[in-house]
Amino acid sequence: MNQSRAFQIEYHQFLDPDGVPVGDLPPLAEETEALQALYRNMVFTRLYDERAIALQRTGQLGTFASSLGQEAIGAGVGHAMRPEDIILPSFRENGALLFRHFRVRDLLLYWGGDERGMANPKLGDDFPICVPIATHTTQATGVAFAIKYRKQPRVVVCLLGDGGTSKGDFYEAINLAGAWNLPLVFVINNNQWAISVPRNLQSRAETLAQKAIAAGIPGVQLDGNDPIAVRHYVAEAIEKARDGGGPTLIEAISYRLCHHTTADDATRYRSEEELEAHRRLDPVPRLRRFMERRQIWSEEQETRLIQACQAEIEQEVRHYLDTPPQKPESMFDSLYAELPRELQAQRQSLLGKEVNHD
Ligand SMILES: Cc1ncc(C[n+]2csc(CCOP(=O)(O)OP(=O)(O)O)c2C)c(N)n1
């Protein structure tokens, strides 16, 4: 039988789990400031995460999706984007959002059930956190189409989870991205679990990156716990898209070291041994060890960084806690230009005013 086509998926990694280079490093590895910025973002995200969970546990936050163990993805993506690019995040991309104009207070307001958290005018064209799985992938194609149509030198970055790649929306989105050669980069945060569904039950595909092949776009797989690899390959894909080179699908392999959200108990479906094995791949000490060996990071810098992050986070938490709650009827305010009658009635009844149903 003749072979029609053959494909392969490349896997990239620069640092092993101990932060030791596995081969030649990209120019980024010589950029002290960039490495320190990536590291700061990861440490900040982790400390914010811890604080948000404490707020939730004490009844001061509705729910929260941690990114513990996956910080390299957010940091690498956020750092690779230019201010004029547009992010369409899912709900586990804190680090990427913190590199943009999202502040901790915005994120806390959102998770506290206050939509004003996503209404900061400084967010520009960035999209709010998307909780419905993969629905934002088709929106991303729309945004990327608009950019291309207007000939703007901007790129759209859309992040989703491994589970999200099983949704029809995702296949439609990558197909259109390919067909229209859109300036769009999809980044899959493959943390290997979609709540309690493990990656191997989610799809028979050997890699998630290979889904790109059917869409006719490049698909690459990365060690998503290697911040240098994420930053390097996401930046490469973004700049290629900016130059008219079209979309890329990046699968960043990581692991969710935390519960799915504060409403989940991951001990019910996965073992301590599995968790322990993945703790050894943690991206934060990985970059720290690399920088220490290069003598661009010290114990003293670490202590100062932690203090500075904690002080900033506490200030943001104060802003969040001091924000007067939204009025309950505000939930009707941003849905429609003109509220349909049934919803008007609901709004009125919430205000304590009965309406006539003729
Ligand atoms: C359309 C839709 N269906 C179901 C859900 C419920 N749900 C929330 S998170 C989740 C799993 C998501 O897994 P994955 O895409 O791997 O992202 P992760 O949470 O692991 O980052 C599901 C099914 C949802 N939010 N939206």
mmCIF file of all heavy atoms in Angstrom, residues 19-43:
data_model
loop_
_atom_site.group_PDB
_atom_site.id
_atom_site.type_symbol
_atom_site.label_atom_id
_atom_site.label_comp_id
_atom_site.label_asym_id
_atom_site.label_seq_id
_atom_site.Cartn_x
_atom_site.Cartn_y
_atom_site.Cartn_z
ATOM 1 N N GLY A 19 16.728 22.143 36.080
ATOM 2 C CA GLY A 19 17.140 23.430 35.525
ATOM 3 C C GLY A 19 18.446 23.337 34.751
ATOM 4 O O GLY A 19 19.097 24.350 34.481
ATOM 5 N N VAL A 20 18.820 22.129 34.389
ATOM 6 C CA VAL A 20 20.065 21.937 33.624
ATOM 7 C C VAL A 20 19.723 21.905 32.134
ATOM 8 O O VAL A 20 18.787 21.193 31.739
ATOM 9 C CB VAL A 20 20.755 20.607 34.042
ATOM 10 C CG1 VAL A 20 22.000 20.348 33.184
ATOM 11 C CG2 VAL A 20 21.096 20.628 35.518
ATOM 12 N N PRO A 21 20.441 22.666 31.322
ATOM 13 C CA PRO A 21 20.142 22.665 29.877
ATOM 14 C C PRO A 21 20.295 21.274 29.273
ATOM 15 O O PRO A 21 21.228 20.545 29.620
ATOM 16 C CB PRO A 21 21.185 23.629 29.296
ATOM 17 C CG PRO A 21 21.602 24.486 30.442
ATOM 18 C CD PRO A 21 21.486 23.643 31.665
ATOM 19 N N VAL A 22 19.364 20.923 28.380
ATOM 20 C CA VAL A 22 19.447 19.613 27.731
ATOM 21 C C VAL A 22 20.110 19.723 26.354
ATOM 22 O O VAL A 22 20.285 18.731 25.673
ATOM 23 C CB VAL A 22 18.052 18.947 27.598
ATOM 24 C CG1 VAL A 22 17.472 18.599 28.951
ATOM 25 C CG2 VAL A 22 17.097 19.836 26.815
ATOM 26 N N GLY A 23 20.457 20.927 25.945
ATOM 27 C CA GLY A 23 21.089 21.131 24.640
ATOM 28 C C GLY A 23 21.365 22.613 24.476
ATOM 29 O O GLY A 23 21.466 23.350 25.466
ATOM 30 N N ASP A 24 21.451 23.051 23.220
ATOM 31 C CA ASP A 24 21.687 24.474 22.964
ATOM 32 C C ASP A 24 20.498 25.291 23.462
ATOM 33 O O ASP A 24 19.350 24.894 23.296
ATOM 34 C CB ASP A 24 21.853 24.716 21.463
ATOM 35 C CG ASP A 24 23.158 24.132 20.963
ATOM 36 O OD1 ASP A 24 24.021 23.825 21.812
ATOM 37 O OD2 ASP A 24 23.290 23.960 19.733
ATOM 38 N N LEU A 25 20.818 26.447 24.018
ATOM 39 C CA LEU A 25 19.762 27.314 24.547
ATOM 40 C C LEU A 25 19.455 28.443 23.569
ATOM 41 O O LEU A 25 20.334 28.875 22.824
ATOM 42 C CB LEU A 25 20.197 27.899 25.889
ATOM 43 C CG LEU A 25 20.341 26.901 27.039
ATOM 44 C CD1 LEU A 25 20.982 27.569 28.250
ATOM 45 C CD2 LEU A 25 18.978 26.324 27.422
ATOM 46 N N PRO A 26 18.227 28.958 23.592
ATOM 47 C CA PRO A 26 17.891 30.085 22.711
ATOM 48 C C PRO A 26 18.444 31.394 23.281
ATOM 49 O O PRO A 26 18.827 31.433 24.457
ATOM 50 C CB PRO A 26 16.361 30.089 22.748
ATOM 51 C CG PRO A 26 16.022 29.547 24.081
ATOM 52 C CD PRO A 26 17.096 28.551 24.430
ATOM 53 N N PRO A 27 18.470 32.471 22.484
ATOM 54 C CA PRO A 27 19.015 33.755 22.965
ATOM 55 C C PRO A 27 18.370 34.227 24.275
ATOM 56 O O PRO A 27 19.016 34.861 25.113
ATOM 57 C CB PRO A 27 18.688 34.721 21.823
ATOM 58 C CG PRO A 27 18.524 33.857 20.610
ATOM 59 C CD PRO A 27 18.051 32.528 21.083
ATOM 60 N N LEU A 28 17.112 33.864 24.489
ATOM 61 C CA LEU A 28 16.403 34.256 25.713
ATOM 62 C C LEU A 28 17.195 33.867 26.969
ATOM 63 O O LEU A 28 17.160 34.581 27.981
ATOM 64 C CB LEU A 28 15.020 33.560 25.721
ATOM 65 C CG LEU A 28 14.192 33.670 26.995
ATOM 66 C CD1 LEU A 28 13.671 35.082 27.191
ATOM 67 C CD2 LEU A 28 13.009 32.697 26.949
ATOM 68 N N ALA A 29 17.910 32.757 26.899
ATOM 69 C CA ALA A 29 18.642 32.270 28.071
ATOM 70 C C ALA A 29 19.742 33.240 28.504
ATOM 71 O O ALA A 29 20.243 33.163 29.626
ATOM 72 C CB ALA A 29 19.242 30.897 27.764
ATOM 73 N N GLU A 30 20.112 34.166 27.615
ATOM 74 C CA GLU A 30 21.149 35.158 27.959
ATOM 75 C C GLU A 30 20.521 36.460 28.453
ATOM 76 O O GLU A 30 21.230 37.391 28.818
ATOM 77 C CB GLU A 30 22.027 35.473 26.727
ATOM 78 C CG GLU A 30 22.714 34.269 26.106
ATOM 79 C CD GLU A 30 23.586 33.528 27.104
ATOM 80 O OE1 GLU A 30 24.206 34.200 27.968
ATOM 81 O OE2 GLU A 30 23.614 32.275 27.043
ATOM 82 N N GLU A 31 19.206 36.542 28.403
ATOM 83 C CA GLU A 31 18.542 37.805 28.758
ATOM 84 C C GLU A 31 18.132 37.780 30.225
ATOM 85 O O GLU A 31 17.036 37.314 30.576
ATOM 86 C CB GLU A 31 17.320 38.022 27.852
ATOM 87 C CG GLU A 31 17.696 38.234 26.396
ATOM 88 C CD GLU A 31 16.469 38.288 25.489
ATOM 89 O OE1 GLU A 31 15.376 38.660 25.963
ATOM 90 O OE2 GLU A 31 16.621 37.908 24.307
ATOM 91 N N THR A 32 19.016 38.285 31.049
ATOM 92 C CA THR A 32 18.799 38.234 32.502
ATOM 93 C C THR A 32 17.461 38.852 32.897
ATOM 94 O O THR A 32 16.685 38.268 33.665
ATOM 95 C CB THR A 32 19.957 38.969 33.217
ATOM 96 O OG1 THR A 32 21.157 38.307 32.839
ATOM 97 C CG2 THR A 32 19.801 38.938 34.715
ATOM 98 N N GLU A 33 17.163 40.023 32.362
ATOM 99 C CA GLU A 33 15.923 40.705 32.768
ATOM 100 C C GLU A 33 14.690 39.906 32.394
ATOM 101 O O GLU A 33 13.727 39.837 33.149
ATOM 102 C CB GLU A 33 15.843 42.087 32.103
ATOM 103 C CG GLU A 33 16.387 43.158 33.003
ATOM 104 C CD GLU A 33 16.299 44.531 32.372
ATOM 105 O OE1 GLU A 33 15.282 44.804 31.707
ATOM 106 O OE2 GLU A 33 17.260 45.290 32.532
ATOM 107 N N ALA A 34 14.723 39.319 31.211
ATOM 108 C CA ALA A 34 13.567 38.528 30.763
ATOM 109 C C ALA A 34 13.383 37.302 31.664
ATOM 110 O O ALA A 34 12.259 36.979 32.069
ATOM 111 C CB ALA A 34 13.752 38.093 29.311
ATOM 112 N N LEU A 35 14.485 36.649 31.995
ATOM 113 C CA LEU A 35 14.388 35.463 32.856
ATOM 114 C C LEU A 35 13.861 35.855 34.232
ATOM 115 O O LEU A 35 12.999 35.173 34.808
ATOM 116 C CB LEU A 35 15.762 34.793 32.993
ATOM 117 C CG LEU A 35 16.351 34.196 31.717
ATOM 118 C CD1 LEU A 35 17.750 33.676 31.972
ATOM 119 C CD2 LEU A 35 15.464 33.081 31.163
ATOM 120 N N GLN A 36 14.361 36.964 34.741
ATOM 121 C CA GLN A 36 13.899 37.401 36.064
ATOM 122 C C GLN A 36 12.423 37.805 36.027
ATOM 123 O O GLN A 36 11.692 37.576 36.977
ATOM 124 C CB GLN A 36 14.787 38.540 36.574
ATOM 125 C CG GLN A 36 16.183 38.032 36.937
ATOM 126 C CD GLN A 36 17.135 39.119 37.373
ATOM 127 O OE1 GLN A 36 16.863 40.314 37.161
ATOM 128 N NE2 GLN A 36 18.258 38.736 37.962
ATOM 129 N N ALA A 37 12.004 38.385 34.909
ATOM 130 C CA ALA A 37 10.583 38.756 34.785
ATOM 131 C C ALA A 37 9.706 37.509 34.755
ATOM 132 O O ALA A 37 8.641 37.458 35.380
ATOM 133 C CB ALA A 37 10.368 39.587 33.524
ATOM 134 N N LEU A 38 10.158 36.493 34.043
ATOM 135 C CA LEU A 38 9.406 35.235 33.997
ATOM 136 C C LEU A 38 9.315 34.636 35.397
ATOM 137 O O LEU A 38 8.256 34.180 35.843
ATOM 138 C CB LEU A 38 10.100 34.221 33.073
ATOM 139 C CG LEU A 38 9.992 34.442 31.576
ATOM 140 C CD1 LEU A 38 10.930 33.491 30.827
ATOM 141 C CD2 LEU A 38 8.553 34.222 31.098
ATOM 142 N N TYR A 39 10.446 34.657 36.091
ATOM 143 C CA TYR A 39 10.491 34.058 37.427
ATOM 144 C C TYR A 39 9.587 34.841 38.391
ATOM 145 O O TYR A 39 8.828 34.261 39.165
ATOM 146 C CB TYR A 39 11.937 34.024 37.935
ATOM 147 C CG TYR A 39 12.046 33.280 39.238
ATOM 148 C CD1 TYR A 39 11.805 31.904 39.281
ATOM 149 C CD2 TYR A 39 12.349 33.925 40.429
ATOM 150 C CE1 TYR A 39 11.878 31.205 40.471
ATOM 151 C CE2 TYR A 39 12.427 33.237 41.627
ATOM 152 C CZ TYR A 39 12.190 31.883 41.633
ATOM 153 O OH TYR A 39 12.246 31.189 42.820
ATOM 154 N N ARG A 40 9.674 36.166 38.319
ATOM 155 C CA ARG A 40 8.853 36.990 39.201
ATOM 156 C C ARG A 40 7.368 36.684 38.980
ATOM 157 O O ARG A 40 6.607 36.533 39.917
ATOM 158 C CB ARG A 40 9.122 38.480 38.946
ATOM 159 C CG ARG A 40 8.301 39.369 39.853
ATOM 160 C CD ARG A 40 8.379 40.857 39.542
ATOM 161 N NE ARG A 40 7.728 41.622 40.613
ATOM 162 C CZ ARG A 40 6.416 41.797 40.705
ATOM 163 N NH1 ARG A 40 5.591 41.273 39.801
ATOM 164 N NH2 ARG A 40 5.892 42.480 41.711
ATOM 165 N N ASN A 41 6.993 36.591 37.712
ATOM 166 C CA ASN A 41 5.591 36.317 37.380
ATOM 167 C C ASN A 41 5.149 34.973 37.971
ATOM 168 O O ASN A 41 4.062 34.855 38.526
ATOM 169 C CB ASN A 41 5.408 36.338 35.865
ATOM 170 C CG ASN A 41 3.996 35.986 35.435
ATOM 171 O OD1 ASN A 41 3.653 34.817 35.335
ATOM 172 N ND2 ASN A 41 3.168 36.988 35.203
ATOM 173 N N MET A 42 6.015 33.968 37.864
ATOM 174 C CA MET A 42 5.635 32.645 38.371
ATOM 175 C C MET A 42 5.495 32.650 39.898
ATOM 176 O O MET A 42 4.556 32.095 40.445
ATOM 177 C CB MET A 42 6.665 31.598 37.932
ATOM 178 C CG MET A 42 6.633 31.341 36.439
ATOM 179 S SD MET A 42 7.365 29.763 35.992
ATOM 180 C CE MET A 42 9.053 30.061 36.390
ATOM 181 N N VAL A 43 6.438 33.330 40.563
ATOM 182 C CA VAL A 43 6.382 33.395 42.030
ATOM 183 C C VAL A 43 5.157 34.203 42.465
ATOM 184 O O VAL A 43 4.402 33.804 43.364
ATOM 185 C CB VAL A 43 7.694 34.015 42.589
ATOM 186 C CG1 VAL A 43 7.565 34.344 44.063
ATOM 187 C CG2 VAL A 43 8.860 33.061 42.344
#
